[in-house]
Each structure stands twice: as structure tokens, then as C-alpha cells.
């Protein structure tokens, strides 16, 4: 009915059925049929017409005057929405784990905002996986394989994990030779990764360690600090301890065993079109990740 209302307004403003048909690129018979349908729905005659003349009825004039402002407002709202969808400006809300957002992706946020100064970026950081829909976020960074098919996703890369300890701790307690030896050591557990998975680099033997924590925390940077202080052995993403490994402050233990690795994804609600501002951030994240060695299995920062 809304389309037929727009058609009626066009007829009145064009002054004739033939002029309106030409303006709307419709066959005159189609325009007439749709006008008749609208009149039937309203139960009144909107136009008095003959072979030579068309005149707006009193009901039609009243209907035109009331509906024309509504149509104009609707058209303006549609144009404004279209501009918002296609302009790289406005608010983008992102959910992300603390150590990813404030670690390897830290410089990504700054470079994005420098590139798109009209965008307002709102990051909500948590190691808990918050509901993307309920939070109203546009995009989320997630670690680990994503099983929820109700979201779109793009893989950004993968982060390798490494098992580390300080020289002081290893001198005091000795170095473990196998993952099973970790049960005899003081462990630092950083939630949510409290279950450590190891694969032997040669034999591909798999071993899972779920030991008791000597120190347990839900923030990775503090866990790394405690490892540097000699509190115990920590398994953590290499992205949060690469500088400490390169400087020797922390040392890798179990070098023959590959600690866990986790894929990193950008996910967002399924919809046909992404607003331009969200698509710009997604493309920026993909470009950043492609150039980041520690997201591509390259551990060059340790050399």
C-alpha cells in the first residue's frame, strides 16, 4: 500500500495519469490498475477522471495533504540511513579478550582511528565470552575455533602458546623434561586456559595437563609478571611474552613439545550488509593480521 500511496502522490503532483506514468516509468494501464486498487482499499474515490480531464476529489485532496509530509519524512529517513550505511563514520562497538586487544592488536586500534577519524570506536574487553547480540556489539575478536553457525566469521591467524619460567625458578626447582613432570612443579594458571595441551614436535604424541595452580588469575599480563618473578611455570600465548623470551627474562621449557595454539577470528552477526564503518574495521583487522608475524606462525621476534 505504501508504494501505491507514493504513486498517488506522484499522480497529483504530475497533473495527469500519463505524465505520472512517464515519470515513474510504468505502463499507463498498470498505473490505473494500482490507483483503482488503492481506492478500493480506502473505500472512496481519490480522482475524478474522464477521457480528457483528471481532477482530485475532496477526499483525494485531504488524503494527499495528510500523506505527502509522511512520505517526505520517510524518504528523508531512508536517505539518512543509506548515508549512514555507506559512510565510514559513527560508532563501532567491539568485544575482545583483554590480552588480544591490549596486546598484539594494540597498535591496530590506533592506526584504524587515524585512518578513519570520523569513526568512534568503543572496545569492551573481557576474558569471558559475552553475548554478541545482547551486548549490541558490531564485531568481536574470538580465540579458538568458532562453532556457532549463526555468526559470520573471518580467520585472522593463529597464536602459538609457549611454556615459560624464569631462570631463578628453573635453578631452584629444575626444568621439567616431559609434560607429566609439570605435576611436580608450581604452576601459574591464567583463566580461561587452565587445561594445557602439548604435542611432541617429532612423535606427535599428545599430552594434556590439568594441574593444581600455585597461582591462578584471570588476566594474562599479571600471570606473565608472576612468571618473571619466579613464582612458577606458565603456559601462555607467545604474543604476551615474546619480549621477555627475546631478552632472556623468561626461558622456554619443554622445547621438544609444542604447547597449544589457538586460531583468532573476527565474528559478527549474520546479515546481508555490513555498515561501511564496520566493514572498514574488519578489513583493517585483516590487513593488520596479514602483516603480523606472530599471527602467522613466524616467531622471528625471538631471534
Amino acid at each position: 500500500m505504501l508504494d501505491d500511496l507514493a504513486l498517488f502522490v506522484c499522480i497529483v503532483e504530475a497533473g495527469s495519469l500519463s505524465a505520472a506514468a512517464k515519470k515513474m516509468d510504468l505502463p499507463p494501464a498498470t498505473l490505473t490498475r494500482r490507483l483503482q486498487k488503492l481506492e478500493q482499499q480506502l473505500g472512496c474515490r481519490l480522482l475524478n477522471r474522464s477521457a480528457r480531464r483528471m481532477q482530485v476529489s475532496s477526499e483525494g485532496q485531504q488524503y494527499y495533504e495528510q500523506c505527502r509530509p509522511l512520505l517526505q519524512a520517510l524518504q528523508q529517513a531512508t536517505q539518512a540511513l543509506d548515508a549512514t550505511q555507506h559512510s565510514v563514520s559513527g560508532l563501532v562497538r567491539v568485544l575482545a579478550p583483554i590480552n588480544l586487544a591490549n596486546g598484539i592488536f594494540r597498535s591496530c586500534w590506533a592506526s584504524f582511528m587515524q585512518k578513519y577519524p570520523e569513526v568512534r570506536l568503543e572496545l569492551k574487553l573481557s576474558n569471558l565470552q559475552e553475548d554478541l547480540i545482547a551486548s549490541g556489539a558490531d564485531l568481536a575478536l574470538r580465540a579458538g575455533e568458532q562453532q556457532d553457525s549463526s555468526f559470520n566469521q573471518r580467520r585472522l591467524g593463529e597464536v602459538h602458546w609457549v611454556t615459560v619460567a624464569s631462570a631463578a625458578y628453573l635453578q631452584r626447582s629444575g626444568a621439567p623434561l616431559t609434560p607429566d613432570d609439570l605435576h611436580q612443579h608450581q604452576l601459574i594458571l591464567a583463566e580461561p586456559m587452565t587445561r594445557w595441551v602439548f604435542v611432541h614436535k617429532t612423535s606427535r604424541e599428545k599430552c594434556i595437563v590439568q594441574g593444581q595452580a600455585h597461582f591462578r588469575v584471570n588476566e594474562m599480563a599479571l600471570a606473565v609478571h608472576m612468571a618473571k618473578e619466579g613464582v612458577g611455570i606458565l603456559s601462555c600465548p607467545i604474543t604476551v611474552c615474546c619480549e621477555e623470551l627475546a631478552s632472556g627474562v623468561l626461558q622456554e621449557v619443554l622445547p621438544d613439545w609444542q604447547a597449544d595454539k589457538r586460531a583468532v577470528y573476527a565474528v559478527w552477526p549474520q546479515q546481508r550488509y555490513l555498515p561501511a564503518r564496520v566493514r572498514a574495521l574488519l578489513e583493517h583487522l585483516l590487513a593488520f593480521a596479514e602483516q603480523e608475524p606472530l599471527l602467522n606462525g613466524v616467531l622471528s621476534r625471538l631471534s
Side-chain angles (χ1 to χ4, degrees):
M1 186 175 180
L2 191 60
D3 288 342
D4 292 335
L5 173 57
L7 179 146
F8 168 67
V9 170
C10 181
I11 293 172
V12 174
E13 293 179 346
S16 70
L17 289 170
S18 59
K22 185 176 181 180
K23 184 176 181 179
M24 301 190 74
D25 195 23
L26 287 173
T30 299
L31 185 144
T32 300
R33 183 172 63 253
R34 288 176 57 181
L35 175 62
Q36 291 171 344
K37 179 183 175 182
L38 179 63
E39 289 178 326
Q40 289 172 359
Q41 290 174 328
L42 295 174
C44 65
R45 196 169 185 84
L46 299 174
L47 298 174
N48 296 315
R49 48 200 181 274
S50 64
R52 295 185 178 181
R53 188 177 178 190
M54 180 197 82
Q55 186 174 13
V56 183
S57 69
S58 58
E59 293 85 0
Q61 185 65 35
Q62 181 182 4
Y63 192 58
Y64 168 78
E65 291 174 356
Q66 291 176 344
C67 292
R68 184 171 180 271
L70 299 178
L71 276 177
Q72 288 178 331
L74 179 61
Q75 290 169 349
Q76 291 171 355
T78 301
Q79 291 169 356
L81 178 61
D82 184 68
T84 300
Q85 286 286 97
H86 294 88
S87 172
V88 185
S89 62
L91 178 63
V92 180
R93 294 186 175 94
V94 180
L95 303 179
I98 297 170
N99 66 291
L100 275 178
N102 196 32
I104 194 169
F105 284 98
R106 178 185 291 183
S107 63
C108 182
W109 313 122
S111 59
F112 174 75
M113 299 197 76
Q114 289 163 0
K115 185 176 181 180
Y116 299 105
E118 298 301 317
V119 173
R120 293 178 292 121
L121 187 59
E122 183 178 297
L123 299 181
K124 186 173 184 182
L125 308 186
S126 173
N127 289 330
L128 299 176
Q129 187 163 298
E130 295 195 41
D131 189 311
L132 184 55
I133 302 297
S135 68
D138 300 293
L139 194 72
L141 293 186
R142 295 271 167 85
E145 296 302 326
Q146 302 300 301
Q147 306 298 330
D148 193 339
S149 60
S150 64
F151 293 114
N152 291 315
Q153 58 181 263
R154 287 291 301 273
R155 193 176 189 275
L156 299 176
E158 66 180 15
V159 174
H160 286 249
W161 284 54
V162 63
T163 309
V164 298
S166 69
Y169 175 85
L170 295 174
Q171 185 176 5
R172 181 176 73 246
S173 303
L177 300 179
T178 70
D180 283 335
D181 293 342
L182 292 172
H183 292 99
Q184 310 305 318
H185 282 265
Q186 295 176 340
L187 304 183
I188 300 171
L189 299 185
E191 296 176 356
M193 295 298 290
T194 58
R195 178 175 174 268
W196 298 352
V197 179
F198 297 89
V199 176
H200 195 275
K201 294 179 180 178
T202 303
S203 69
R204 310 311 297 170
E205 176 188 354
K206 187 176 181 179
C207 184
I208 298 174
V209 175
Q210 194 156 9
Q212 184 173 354
H214 183 60
F215 178 77
R216 184 176 181 135
V217 67
N218 65 344
E219 202 281 315
M220 192 63 72
L222 181 54
V224 172
H225 172 76
M226 297 299 279
K228 288 162 56 178
E229 293 297 316
V231 171
I233 296 176
L234 169 69
S235 185
C236 65
I238 199 166
T239 53
V240 300
C241 68
C242 58
E243 294 180 1
E244 289 81 359
L245 281 168
S247 66
V249 173
L250 289 175
Q251 298 179 14
E252 183 178 5
V253 301
L254 300 173
D256 294 331
W257 292 81
Q258 171 62 58
D260 202 5
K261 58 184 178 181
R262 306 193 80 196
V264 178
Y265 289 89
V267 301
W268 64 96
Q270 280 195 356
Q271 57 190 54
R272 188 173 180 183
Y273 299 109
L274 270 180
R277 61 189 183 278
V278 182
R279 182 167 297 281
L281 177 58
L282 176 62
E283 292 173 353
H284 193 78
L285 284 165
L286 289 166
F288 176 86
E290 187 177 355
Q291 300 299 318
E292 174 49 59
L294 294 181
L295 285 171
N296 293 282
V298 179
L299 309 184
S300 57
R301 291 189 188 180
L302 305 183
S303 58

